[in-house]
Each structure stands twice: as structure tokens, then as C-alpha cells.
Amino acid sequence: MNHINEISAFPEGWYFVANRASILRENLIEKTWMGQEIIAWSDGEGHICVAEAYCPHLGSHLGPTVGGRVRDGCLVCPFHGFEFDRTGQCVATPNAPAPKAARLSVYRTREILGMVFAWWGVGGRAPQWDLPDDPPAGAEWSRLRSTKLRFRGHPQETTENSVDVEHLGYTHGYHDVAPTGTISIEGAYLRSCFDFTNVNRFAGLFNITSEVSAVTHVHGLGYSFVEIQEKTIGLDARLWVLPTPVDGTFVNLVLVSQLREIRKPGRFFAGLGFLPVRLRHRLINCFFLRQEKRYVMQDVTIWERKRYQPRPRLCRGDGPIGKYRRYCRQFYPKLQPEKPGTAEIESTRP
Ligand code: FES
Ligand SMILES: [Fe+2]
């Protein structure tokens, strides 16, 4: 296997596109992923559509910056006014019957707590696995909060973090990092767990020494979900780490956090007791996400300048990097082109 190609190609999987709320607010959004232009809109009946951004008629870009818009749930091309429904089918033109063959390529979508994901398959193939259901919700869970980063990187490298135990102490300054059990792999699902101790400064006021247990659920390289249990003050948090390749060089990484009401507020809230619970909750989620972003920025410094080592010279203290790399191979299937010279697969590989 050519590992250099492996890391430079796009791994197939489910990737974050946008939040439902922002698609509804803007009606139509455009973005670049996997080196391709895509658009997303809502059909007005609750379905989110993600499609290629070029019109099958004469090739206009369909994004809002060019004049694409949504009317009665259909996407309207800015060039000659062809209309497309949520399946991508052209259903009307201004002066002639809609040509049956005019159809936009649409991507399969899945939604988790309002986060919209779309499947990108090698050679355009259908989803090979599904994303998990929504995690249990309840009034005790805060609203989601998210932040975005864009840097030179690759989702295989960013996800490798969750099994790279050594860097947790060395790069991030965690203490007593200890894997709890071995990583488990089942198809596209990988689970890893570890405990650590960490010192955080809250709002510049006081330090909290936290004992933390983290369980990471990886469902392909575009979707990692981390369940975090902080034992000192009884804080349960959820963190989604969602890297989407922009092109062969840059990645958009969205971090999303959600917090459960603190079980043992005690001294921690001594100075915040005057705040209503919901506001306290929001404040702590904001603080939590800021801390997580700070840790990720430490990784970004490394990621942006690192080189992929196909044969890393590992030491005994490393996590199960080899196992993780073998898990990743399934995301770069080598499909046979249907006819010699049809290079749809090659075209995705820089
Ligand atoms: S290019 Fe879209 S309607 Fe003509
Ligand atoms: Fe890290």
C-alpha cells in the first residue's frame, strides 16, 4: 500500500457540512469540501439538501454569492432559472418543460443534534456505514456551542490524537495519563478510553485540579465524539471534533461542546452563586470550549508543520498508533475504474 498517497487522499466518510440553524437562517449556503464546491439548503419541509454547486444545464455556480436562491423549497439557478427539488431533479424551467436528464448530484445526509453531515464516498459510492443516533438529551444538558479552526492538516492526523497517548502529557501538559483498557475497533467504529489529571485556571480566578475520564468514539475520520467526566466538581461534557477537508491542503475543524449541569458545585461556584443556573451553565460551557480550543491550538502548531511518517519509529510508551493506522486503511478503498482511463477515483487524489 502506498502510504504517502493514503494520507494525501481524502478518506471516505461522514463529514460535517453546517448546522441546521445556520442553513435555515441563510436559506442557502456554499462551501468547499474535498476540493469540490457544494451547496446546502432546506426544502422548507425540514429536509436539508446537500448538492454539488454546478448547474447541469450550462454550468453556472449555484451558490448565493453568484445569485443562487431558494424558492418554495427548490433551488433556483441564477443563470437561466432552472429549478431543482430536494432530490436534485430539475422540476421547472422558465419557458420550457424541465429536461428529465437535468439532475444535480446530491449527497446523503445525516443529522445529529442539529449538526448536518454528508457522506463523501470514494468514486461517489454510497455510505458504507451509518453515524450513531443522537446521544440522550434532557433539560440538564446545555445547548451546543461551537467554534471553528482552519489550518493545514488532514483528518487522519487530527484523529490520530485520540490514540496518541504520549502527546497528552508532552504537548498538552496532562498528568498521570493512563489508558483504561485497549482500544476496540468494529468496522468503521473505534473506541478508546483514558484517564488523566489536569490543572485548569477558571476565568483567571482560581485553579482547579481535575481528575478526568475520557471516552472517544470515532466513526470514521470526520466524526469523533468524546465523552468527558470530570470528577472533582462533577462535570460531564461532550465534545465533538469534526474535521472536514477543504482541499488537499487545508482542513476545517469544528469543535462542538455540550455540558451537563454540575453535580457537585460546592466551592467551585462560591463566586458565581449569584448567577441564574442557566447563565452559569452557559458560562462554564463557554469556558470549557475555550480550554478545548486552546489544547487543539497546541496540536495545530504541530499539525501544520509536520510530515506524515508512513513508518513511524515508535517507542513502548506510545499508544496503539499501529492499530489505528490499520483501522484507517478501510477509508481509502482501491476501487477498480469501470473502464480503463475513467479516472474518477484518481481525480480526488492530489
Ligand atoms: S446554467 Fe443553470 S439554468 Fe442555465
Ligand atoms: Fe492533542
Side-chain angles (χ1 to χ4, degrees):
M1 172 170 290
N2 184 337
H3 294 271
I4 298 294
N5 272 352
E6 178 179 305
I7 196 67
S8 62
F10 302 121
E12 70 177 4
W14 293 95
Y15 291 97
F16 177 74
V17 175
N19 288 318
R20 164 178 283 271
S22 59
I23 296 171
L24 293 181
R25 192 174 54 242
E26 292 172 42
N27 285 322
L28 176 64
I29 63 161
E30 61 187 66
K31 61 187 289 177
T32 308
W33 79 340
M34 318 294 169
Q36 294 166 352
E37 301 278 298
I38 57 169
I39 48 170
W41 79 96
S42 161
D43 72 348
E45 290 173 10
H47 300 107
I48 299 291
C49 318
V50 177
E52 65 174 341
Y54 292 98
C55 181
H57 179 220
L58 283 166
S60 173
H61 195 286
L62 298 164
T65 55
V66 180
R69 63 204 169 94
V70 179
R71 188 171 62 211
D72 298 331
C74 285
L75 178 82
V76 185
C77 176
F79 202 3
H80 312 92
F82 281 29
E83 292 181 30
F84 301 89
D85 71 8
R86 72 182 169 91
T87 68
Q89 181 62 52
C90 179
V91 290
T93 79
N95 297 310
K100 282 207 175 61
R103 170 178 275 278
L104 280 176
S105 293
V106 293
Y107 293 90
R108 291 280 291 277
T109 59
R110 265 296 313 272
E111 205 170 317
I112 296 176
L113 298 181
M115 297 178 275
V116 177
F117 299 86
W119 167 264
W120 187 87
V122 168
R125 70 178 186 159
Q128 303 295 304
W129 74 88
D130 204 358
L131 284 178
D133 293 332
D134 284 6
E140 74 277 19
W141 283 98
S142 73
R143 288 168 60 174
L144 303 186
R145 191 172 188 96
S146 64
T147 185
K148 282 183 211 160
L149 294 160
R150 180 188 168 100
F151 52 87
R152 286 171 189 275
H154 189 280
Q156 184 175 320
E157 299 273 45
T158 58
T159 309
E160 194 166 273
N161 246 258
S162 56
V163 297
D164 180 355
V165 178
E166 272 295 279
H167 98 288
L168 296 174
Y170 206 80
T171 308
H172 300 307
Y174 297 177
H175 305 284
D176 309 319
V177 179
T180 48
T182 52
I183 64 169
S184 61
I185 295 175
E186 217 183 302
Y189 172 57
L190 179 150
R191 182 177 188 271
S192 72
C193 321
F194 54 87
D195 289 350
F196 60 91
T197 311
N198 194 13
V199 180
N200 279 315
R201 188 154 183 81
F202 183 75
L205 296 174
F206 48 89
N207 289 337
I208 311 164
T209 302
S210 294
E211 277 177 48
V212 180
S213 285
V215 181
T216 304
H217 308 270
V218 178
H219 294 265
L221 303 182
Y223 183 95
S224 289
F225 172 54
V226 193
E227 293 179 290
I228 297 161
Q229 268 196 319
E230 195 282 343
K231 293 164 194 165
T232 315
I233 57 171
L235 180 138
D236 295 336
R238 293 167 171 167
L239 182 73
W240 285 264
V241 185
L242 310 172
T244 304
V246 177
D247 49 26
T249 305
F250 287 94
V251 69
N252 277 333
L253 185 111
V254 175
L255 295 174
V256 183
S257 66
Q258 188 180 33
L259 243 63
R260 201 210 299 256
E261 271 171 30
I262 290 181
R263 285 177 273 115
K264 300 185 267 179
R267 163 185 171 271
F268 178 71
F269 276 141
L272 300 170
F274 63 95
L275 292 174
V277 173
R278 284 184 82 82
L279 193 58
R280 253 176 10 196
H281 211 182
R282 214 186 310 158
L283 193 71
I284 293 164
N285 198 11
C286 178
F287 162 72
F288 172 75
L289 188 60
R290 190 140 28 102
Q291 290 286 78
E292 291 302 322
K293 186 173 180 179
R294 194 171 64 79
Y295 289 128
V296 173
M297 288 308 295
Q298 294 168 343
D299 289 319
V300 168
T301 307
I302 305 282
W303 289 332
E304 286 214 295
R305 301 292 301 275
K306 87 186 286 292
R307 180 174 77 173
Y308 179 65
Q309 290 293 24
R311 287 181 189 77
R313 304 303 184 213
L314 300 171
C315 73
R316 220 180 275 167
D318 285 317
I321 304 238
K323 215 170 168 182
Y324 169 75
R325 297 266 179 113
R326 283 192 293 283
Y327 157 80
C328 289
R329 287 181 190 170
Q330 64 183 301
F331 306 122
Y332 307 91
K334 297 261 187 297
L335 304 186
Q336 295 299 324
E338 277 172 19
K339 287 183 236 140
T342 51
E344 203 175 358
I345 301 164
E346 259 66 38
S347 70
T348 64
R349 299 185 174 213

